[in-house]
Amino acid sequence: MQKIFLVRVSLCYTLLRNLIFFDKYNYKGIIFNVFLIKNIMKIKCSKKVLARALNIASKAVSPNNTLPVLNNILIKAEGKKVFFSATNLEIAINTIIEADVLNEGSITIPSKILTSYIGLLKEGDIELKSELGMSLSIKSTHSETKIKGIAPDEFPMIPKVEDAISFKIPSKNFKEAVEQVAFAASSNTARPVLTGVLFRVKKDELTMVATDSYRLSEKKLKLKEMARDDVECLVPARTTQELGRILDGSEDIEVEVGKNQILFRSGNTVLTSRLIEGNFPEYEKILPKETKTKCHTSVEDLVLAVKKVSLFVMETNNNIKMTVTNDGKMLVSTEETQVGEGRADVDVKVEGENNKVALNAQYLLDVLSSIGEDEVFVELVDKINPILLKPLKKTDYRHIIMPLKL
């Protein structure tokens, strides 16, 4: 009985203290302060679990947000779980951890400073407590700090994906597909459809394609089960890249495609993204229909040769020459520039006629770093048609690069 009385006295004192700042007829001020007292969040969790959740959610925060609350992570304690949410209004990430929730509540805290601070703490339990005035108290074994936040009711609502068509993808395979495809998307927003990755689902297969009109990547993935309907949508390349960074490869990904939104769920993490409107180019038309020269070689040897020659191509917009001869050699070279010239040859196994093509050196290095195997197939038609690269053993991935003028 005595404890209950003391609590009520403390509550009354807090209310009276807050009334100093309000007109005696301002009942809204009283109600607001009662709400804050009830809504004080208090949780305990391990530093490792907290740091991972913050790192995941913070990937949805853009550095140049004009709305202050979009720089924040929403932390909400409810039941025995803590929810972490962030959004830049294009993508939203929500992840959940289990924690010792001493009092339910919510607050938004600047993502950058909170994530950085937690990363500097030693392993062990951490106590988070929201306080009146919208600040978060953080207590650990050797330190204590307060970070100012923003009221949770200012955080935007994350839209739901409605009337969705769903399918499942093995996480490990999807992560590899992102690495092999997303880099080929354009970063120029003048043509929005080229900044996305095409998702095309037919039966039990997902095809992912990206292009910036100078190069193109295509990857095919087997789904866990047959999709209910065929699906085609354009997902922002950044969405796929952020998702690839979050995934640990341990759980399948559930995908839900709605009219304007797409949702990816893996374990306790959900990423929601807008879709890009527009029609993706009919890329099949530009894929080489014939091959005059086929060769395969070591990825490592070809990368080394291109890097050597690339030292001299700054003046020529990364233009290098690739010459294949049926004596088992591929010559990678550049024209003479003010800093010099480069030539390097690679041993190859060749079928067909001698051939020569000019390429962007960086484009070639990009695909070679993502090919996923030790050896690569290179197929050429002539100096005006795109070059095709694909893994030696797998048939589910191919990449083309448009040639430069010889």
Side-chain angles (χ1 to χ4, degrees), residues 22-36:
F22 297 95
D23 186 272
K24 63 181 178 179
Y25 300 110
N26 189 349
Y27 299 109
K28 289 183 180 179
I30 299 173
I31 293 169
F32 179 68
N33 279 274
V34 171
F35 169 77
L36 285 178

Side-chain angles (χ1 to χ4, degrees), residues 25 63 72 80 109 112 130 182 219 235 300 303 331 336 382:
Y25 300 110
N72 287 17
K80 296 182 179 180
I109 297 295
K112 186 175 181 180
S130 61
K219 177 76 172 183
V235 184
E300 184 180 358
V303 166
L331 176 65
E336 184 177 356
D382 53 37

Side-chain angles (χ1 to χ4, degrees), residues 168-185:
K168 287 185 179 181
I169 316 171
S171 178
K172 184 178 179 181
N173 296 353
F174 182 78
K175 189 177 181 70
E176 180 187 50
V178 169
E179 292 171 355
Q180 293 181 330
V181 172
F183 72 89

Side-chain angles (χ1 to χ4, degrees), residues 60 81 108 146 153 179 237 244 257 263 315 368 381-382:
K81 295 180 179 180
T108 79
K146 288 183 182 180
D153 56 0
E179 292 171 355
V257 182
L263 179 148
E315 297 173 24
L368 291 174
V381 181
D382 53 37

Side-chain angles (χ1 to χ4, degrees), residues 81-92:
K81 295 180 179 180
V82 183
F83 301 78
F84 298 82
S85 303
T87 182
N88 60 9
L89 301 183
E90 291 189 358
I91 68 172

Side-chain angles (χ1 to χ4, degrees), residues 271-290:
L271 185 152
T272 308
S273 171
R274 67 173 181 85
L275 294 173
I276 298 173
E277 295 183 2
N279 296 318
F280 196 77
E282 296 181 21
Y283 71 94
E284 293 92 343
K285 292 181 178 180
I286 63 171
L287 294 173
K289 301 297 188 294
E290 60 175 336

Side-chain angles (χ1 to χ4, degrees), residues 47 117-123 125-128 137-146:
K47 181 253 182 176
Y117 181 79
I118 297 299
L120 295 172
L121 299 180
K122 293 183 177 180
E123 295 299 331
D125 287 342
I126 296 174
E127 180 187 279
L128 304 180
S137 168
I138 305 172
K139 293 181 180 180
S140 61
T141 306
H142 299 288
S143 61
E144 182 177 347
T145 193
K146 288 183 182 180

